[in-house]
Amino acid sequence: MHQPAISDYGFISDCRSGALVSRDGSVDWWCPDRFDSASVFCRLLDPAGGHWRIAPLAASRVERAYRPDTLVLRTVHHTPEGSVAVTDALAAELGARGHQLGMNSPAVLLRVVEGLTGRVRMHLDFAPLPEYGLLTPYLHEQPDGGVLATTGSVALVLRGDGQVLRVDGDRVGHTFEIAAGQTIGFDLAYAPVYGPPAARLDPVATLAETARAWEAYREAHHYDGQYIPQVRHSATVLTGLTYARSGAVAAAPTTSLPERTGGDRNYDYRYSWLRDFSMTMDALWVAACPHEASRLFAWAARSIGRIGDAPVPVLFGLEGERDISEHAYPHLRGHAESRPVRIGNDAWRQRQLDVPGEVLAAVWRLHDYLGETFDEELREMVVGLAEQVAAMWRLPDRGMWETRDTERHYLSSKVLCWVALDRAVKLAPRLGDRADPRRWAAIRDEIRATVLREGWNDRIGAYTGAFGSAELDASALYLPVVQFLPATDPRMRSTIEMVERELGTDAGLVRRWNNDPAGFVLCSFWLVECLVMTGQRDRARALFEKVLGQANDVGLFAEQIDLRTGAQLGNTPQALSHIGLINAAWRLTDPTTA
């Protein structure tokens, strides 16, 4: 079976879970209970992994786009017989408006087929394989013409307006015609076997209601900077990656899409990373509202809990779960034969010294919103993180890119230790008697001196990725973003120029290191920010627009872009890529932003 490219997928969400829909009309990924639950379709990771396709029988030319300010995806197929549109969405709760979006999503996948011209023969192919393809369900024809699929703990009910669906072995194959002006709605409802029955909704009416819910949500969030359409779309993607019940933002809705085709760097990103925290907070502050930022902050504070001797994990489950141990699924072939397929992410076990800096930078971002006096739990968290950094900053760690080899003294980790204590010193008046700003400031200054001495490489003429290393690393671009050094500092400016020359490409992409075969989208947007901060606004704008051109046809970014082919790589859509877009657009709008 054909397996589409990563860039062929559009993303739909109900702020509980996400689904990926290919250009050829196939839903190839859906984890209906929540983003990090087991899938019922996983053709994304194996050509035989289960899917639900609706498309013309004849070959078609495809155009697709999101309804503005929504994650309602409309795909138009032009065939020799005529044209037809298929509109896909995950249903919002009826009547949901504003911040209610996603709080009580019914877990229903909507697909509405609309005849535009002529008379087009369509085919529906429904082949669910729950639990990442480990289970083959029983399919039962229903009196109303629908089909019930049950296995393990999963029940799925497929229905179509006026359609009688027939079971053929372990799938449903159904051919129908649609004429210009005619509309046929299909819905697929999920429910746990041992719980309430699956919701029954009118797919056409619910699709319209879902679009209104998204539009109302975006209308309540204003962005007044440059590149308004792109920023609003990226903000909508971030909303779609938010698990509404907790406020956590998933790094991506997918697992194991490869960073290198055929390689083994295939990781599960369906969790929320504290390392991304301050960047995410900045993006929400710019393109959403304080409510969204404060909900994410509250989730992080609850997830971190009381600070002990162990380092705070770099990531958590969407409801604050700490143990998300990693398992390989050898029965899946992987996307483009890229193995292993992983469920869970063992990065939660790593020592990541940059985490407290990201959290305390976010506290500083929100400090006026949080009030002049912090409550006891917030005071304890800030003081605990500051003390942890004071005790641990000299240790090596795994670094920003979560290497799975030897721990090192990574530059970005030490800089984020400086950020943690710098922000803690600024927050000290709100922290009560346990605050120790004089000692924190002394350690902060020691960290700074160490970074300036050990992180600089005279031969390279740049700050490198780790102390004593001669290898350039694009993470050095983060130093001006977190205000460790001004971008105009002579050594920092030299580093920016070296990264652009040695790690940059004509396409505007920036690799993380020299032997990286792909551009890392976030690093490209960091370079935009650095160019703005060095006064090179025209070059920054040109670079920003080049990177925008690397998005797929519906404005989505995966994690990386292949330098040779331009193909998207890694999990998609990637929150950090869209966060980088928002923050770079705001930097172009207001170069003094911090």
Side-chain angles (χ1 to χ4, degrees):
M1 292 180 64
H2 166 69
Q3 193 173 35
I6 292 171
S7 58
D8 278 351
Y9 286 100
F11 168 57
I12 57 177
S13 169
D14 56 7
C15 300
R16 165 181 175 169
S17 67
L20 265 62
V21 187
S22 69
R23 284 179 59 86
D24 68 355
S26 184
V27 180
D28 287 348
W29 182 254
W30 187 31
C31 304
D33 195 35
R34 64 184 225 182
F35 290 106
D36 54 353
S37 66
S39 69
V40 295
F41 304 124
C42 64
R43 189 171 76 135
L44 184 71
L45 298 176
D46 190 306
H51 65 281
W52 178 22
R53 185 170 185 260
I54 299 178
L57 279 170
S60 64
R61 178 175 59 85
V62 173
E63 299 173 328
R64 59 182 183 166
Y66 286 107
R67 183 164 169 167
D69 290 337
T70 78
L71 290 182
V72 175
L73 181 64
R74 188 171 189 261
T75 302
V76 178
H77 300 268
H78 300 284
T79 79
E81 301 170 327
S83 297
V84 62
V86 180
T87 303
D88 297 311
L90 286 171
E93 181 189 12
L94 295 179
R97 294 292 184 269
H99 296 116
Q100 296 175 327
L101 182 64
M103 289 296 186
N104 294 290
S105 298
V108 177
L109 178 54
L110 307 169
R111 313 199 73 184
V112 174
V113 184
E114 178 188 1
L116 302 178
T117 64
R119 190 172 186 90
V120 181
R121 290 176 297 162
M122 304 288 291
H123 186 70
L124 177 153
D125 185 23
F126 174 70
L129 290 172
E131 202 170 330
Y132 308 109
L134 287 172
L135 298 175
T136 301
Y138 291 103
L139 301 181
H140 306 279
E141 296 175 1
Q142 301 295 290
D144 63 358
V147 169
L148 170 66
T150 59
T151 185
S153 62
V154 174
L156 297 167
V157 181
L158 175 65
R159 302 182 184 94
D161 292 340
Q163 307 298 302
V164 178
L165 305 177
R166 298 299 185 197
V167 174
D168 182 10
D170 60 358
R171 67 199 315 128
V172 173
H174 178 66
T175 300
F176 62 101
E177 286 191 344
I178 188 160
Q182 185 181 6
T183 299
I184 299 173
F186 295 87
D187 65 289
L188 177 64
Y190 158 83
V193 167
Y194 305 107
R200 181 160 195 171
L201 303 173
D202 178 328
V204 176
T206 306
L207 181 71
E209 175 68 12
T210 297
R212 285 193 292 270
W214 279 101
E215 290 161 354
Y217 185 90
R218 191 51 53 207
E219 286 169 4
H221 299 79
H222 300 287
Y223 168 75
D224 298 322
Q226 299 183 24
Y227 298 97
I228 289 174
Q230 294 88 347
V231 168
R232 287 176 69 91
H233 181 54
S234 286
T236 301
V237 172
L238 278 188
T239 300
L241 291 171
T242 300
Y243 182 67
R245 295 177 183 178
S246 68
V249 178
T254 57
T255 179
S256 299
L257 292 181
E259 296 179 16
R260 178 183 299 185
T261 301
D264 62 357
R265 290 183 58 85
N266 321 313
Y267 301 117
D268 194 344
Y269 278 14
R270 297 172 299 160
Y271 309 104
S272 194
W273 264 252
L274 290 185
R275 171 184 312 103
D276 308 343
F277 199 59
S278 68
M279 288 180 277
T280 308
M281 195 73 70
D282 288 345
L284 292 175
W285 198 263
V286 165
C289 69
H291 176 86
E292 301 305 301
S294 62
R295 288 196 72 233
L296 174 61
F297 180 81
W299 165 83
R302 285 192 300 270
S303 299
I304 291 169
R306 188 177 295 276
I307 308 296
D309 294 333
V312 174
V314 68
L315 72 157
F316 289 91
L318 300 177
E319 293 182 355
E321 299 89 349
R322 187 165 290 216
D323 184 345
I324 45 177
S325 296
E326 186 175 294
H327 305 278
Y329 275 52
H331 69 284
L332 293 173
R333 292 166 55 183
H335 183 88
E337 302 290 334
S338 305
R339 297 186 180 92
V341 170
R342 293 181 171 97
I343 305 301
N345 195 311
D346 274 345
W348 77 274
R349 304 177 189 273
Q350 295 183 352
R351 179 163 58 221
Q352 297 283 348
L353 297 179
D354 50 2
V355 170
E358 287 287 335
V359 176
L360 294 186
V363 177
W364 178 246
R365 159 66 76 182
L366 280 175
H367 72 279
D368 287 336
Y369 190 76
L370 293 169
E372 289 297 325
T373 304
F374 290 175
D375 63 32
E376 181 180 359
E377 289 186 4
L378 181 54
R379 290 198 306 269
E380 287 292 319
M381 184 185 78
V382 173
V383 171
L385 289 173
E387 290 295 340
Q388 191 171 92
V389 168
M392 294 185 176
W393 75 269
R394 293 181 180 85
L395 298 175
D397 74 341
R398 298 291 184 179
M400 177 175 285
W401 309 125
E402 295 174 5
T403 60
R404 297 197 173 194
D405 54 8
T406 305
E407 290 185 335
R408 296 179 176 86
H409 293 283
Y410 285 100
L411 180 81
S412 59
S413 297
K414 306 304 185 189
V415 168
L416 265 295
C417 287
W418 175 90
V419 169
L421 293 179
D422 180 71
R423 304 317 190 254
V425 169
K426 293 176 180 177
L427 292 165
R430 306 181 189 210
L431 300 179
D433 295 340
R434 288 193 59 213
D436 195 352
R438 182 174 297 180
R439 182 169 61 89
W440 294 343
I443 298 171
R444 175 199 63 190
D445 295 345
E446 183 183 357
I447 295 171
R448 179 182 177 84
T450 303
V451 169
L452 295 177
R453 182 181 66 251
E454 303 294 336
W456 175 259
N457 186 300
D458 265 326
R459 184 171 65 83
I460 301 297
Y463 291 104
T464 56
F467 290 178
S469 172
E471 185 174 4
L472 279 174
D473 192 306
S475 62
L477 297 174
Y478 201 36
L479 273 62
V481 175
V482 297
Q483 305 161 58
F484 179 81
L485 279 174
T488 52
D489 173 89
R491 285 186 168 187
M492 192 66 241
R493 186 155 192 155
S494 175
T495 301
I496 295 167
E497 291 170 356
M498 284 291 295
V499 169
E500 184 177 15
R501 182 168 66 249
E502 300 297 326
L503 301 183
T505 69
D506 291 341
L509 299 169
V510 176
R511 296 171 295 152
R512 287 177 289 180
W513 47 74
N514 275 314
N515 62 353
D516 195 345
F520 201 85
V521 176
L522 174 66
C523 296
S524 304
F525 287 126
W526 278 347
L527 180 57
V528 171
E529 292 199 62
C530 288
L531 291 176
V532 173
M533 289 186 281
T534 57
Q536 303 176 76
R537 293 178 63 81
D538 289 343
R539 291 191 62 232
R541 187 180 305 282
L543 175 61
F544 183 79
E545 292 178 359
K546 277 187 176 182
V547 180
L548 289 183
Q550 302 292 330
N552 77 352
D553 60 316
V554 289
L556 299 180
F557 284 102
E559 184 178 33
Q560 300 185 75
I561 308 291
D562 186 281
L563 300 180
R564 182 176 58 85
T565 66
Q568 299 217 13
L569 295 170
N571 288 299
T572 192
Q574 178 78 5
L576 267 184
S577 299
H578 290 274
I579 287 164
L581 185 158
I582 292 169
N583 291 338
W586 184 245
R587 185 77 67 176
L588 283 162
T589 300
D590 179 5
T592 65
T593 189

